[in-house]
Amino acid sequence: MTEFDQYRDGYSTQIDSAIAFSGQPQDFFTRAKARYLLDAFSKFRAQNDISLRPVDVLDIGCGQGLIHPHLKPAQSGIKLTGIDVAGTVIEEAKATNPDVHYDVYEGTRLPYQNRSFDIAYAIAVMHHVPPDDWESFLVEAARVVRPGGLVIIIEHNPLNPLTQKIVRSCPFDQNAVLLRSGRLAKLFRAAGMVDLERQFIIFTPFDTPFFHKVDASFGWLPLGAQYCMAARVPS
């Protein structure tokens, strides 16, 4: 049983407790990340002229798949696979999201052939990976992505004091080591990836289309609660 299997029954409750001061539930933050990912998937499809097949997407460390209903694979033109080290959590994800394929792995080598996916992403996973393994985590993610494909990492922004507060309040984040976006950029390059793009997200706790646009306009400012970084696997 992994650390996250142990928190299976109280996972959402623990997060809601940690972020209660924001005035928004966990789903608010999940949807913010989903908007970024859907935009990235759409741009990738257009730039690579993919129209006759779904975009193959891998979610590394998917947990219960809480973001998957917001990605709507059947409607957004993606074929989604989720994988995690926590087997009991994956069983819950399968029951909730029948249109997503799920796997379990031991946490080191992904059980897929080279060049299996167009895009691989990981949300709030790397801060649970030992820092000495950060580069190998990215190398393994890139291994299963086709040349020209993307690796996307979404992480907590340690420059945001409220993010620091949330991490300190979550029992399952007690061993977390947050990484700054600049460090992640260096790791991406060391792992052989190119064309880095960075965007900070979640600047306000307001959930309206107007404030979604405000947040997007401040994507360059390194003060958002989280950040998203994408890099291309070279051809």
Side-chain angles (χ1 to χ4, degrees):
M1 178 175 288
T2 70
E3 179 181 2
F4 291 96
D5 282 308
Q6 298 176 42
Y7 288 106
R8 173 189 177 187
D9 294 333
Y11 179 83
S12 294
T13 301
Q14 296 281 3
I15 292 181
D16 284 338
S17 176
I19 64 176
F21 69 88
S22 73
Q24 290 289 356
Q26 178 187 355
D27 190 62
F28 166 79
F29 299 89
T30 301
R31 285 185 284 110
K33 292 184 278 284
R35 286 194 295 272
Y36 170 85
L37 287 174
L38 287 171
D39 184 58
F41 300 161
S42 178
K43 288 179 179 176
F44 180 84
R45 175 185 292 280
Q47 291 168 356
N48 292 275
D49 194 24
I50 299 175
S51 59
L52 299 180
R53 65 169 179 85
V55 177
D56 289 314
V57 178
L58 175 65
D59 181 346
I60 304 172
C62 67
Q64 295 161 309
L66 298 179
I67 198 170
H68 296 168
H70 300 294
L71 298 180
K72 300 177 181 177
Q75 299 177 28
S76 59
I78 65 171
K79 179 183 177 183
L80 184 58
T81 298
I83 191 166
D84 203 279
V85 297
T88 59
V89 170
I90 284 293
E91 289 304 313
E92 185 173 337
K94 287 180 179 179
T96 307
N97 304 293
D99 56 345
V100 179
H101 175 80
Y102 291 100
D103 294 307
V104 180
Y105 80 131
E106 90 296 342
T108 304
R109 184 172 176 82
L110 294 164
Y112 310 112
Q113 298 294 321
N114 296 353
R115 305 180 175 187
S116 295
F117 299 92
D118 296 304
I119 299 172
Y121 71 84
I123 299 174
V125 172
M126 284 191 66
H127 65 259
H128 292 293
V129 175
D132 288 346
D133 296 331
W134 282 345
E135 184 178 334
S136 60
F137 179 90
L138 292 175
V139 168
E140 180 62 6
R143 178 186 67 80
V144 301
V145 172
R146 299 175 182 120
L150 298 177
V151 175
I152 299 173
I153 300 294
I154 301 178
E155 269 297 334
H156 298 323
N157 180 14
L159 298 180
N160 185 299
L162 297 182
T163 294
Q164 292 274 9
K165 172 181 171 60
I166 291 171
V167 171
R168 288 195 300 268
S169 301
C170 282
F172 46 81
D173 278 338
Q174 59 184 337
N175 298 317
V177 179
L178 300 185
L179 65 160
R180 295 191 179 193
S181 65
R183 175 74 184 280
L184 181 57
K186 292 179 181 178
L187 290 165
F188 263 124
R189 295 187 184 101
M193 284 173 273
V194 297
D195 299 339
L196 272 67
E197 294 185 1
R198 170 173 27 197
Q199 180 177 331
F200 293 87
I201 61 172
I202 312 176
F203 289 85
T204 74
F206 306 116
D207 195 11
T208 67
F210 172 78
F211 280 103
H212 295 168
K213 292 180 180 178
V214 169
D215 261 38
S217 70
F218 281 105
W220 57 272
L221 186 65
L223 294 177
Q226 295 186 321
Y227 66 88
C228 312
M229 190 171 293
R232 185 172 56 84
V233 175
S235 302

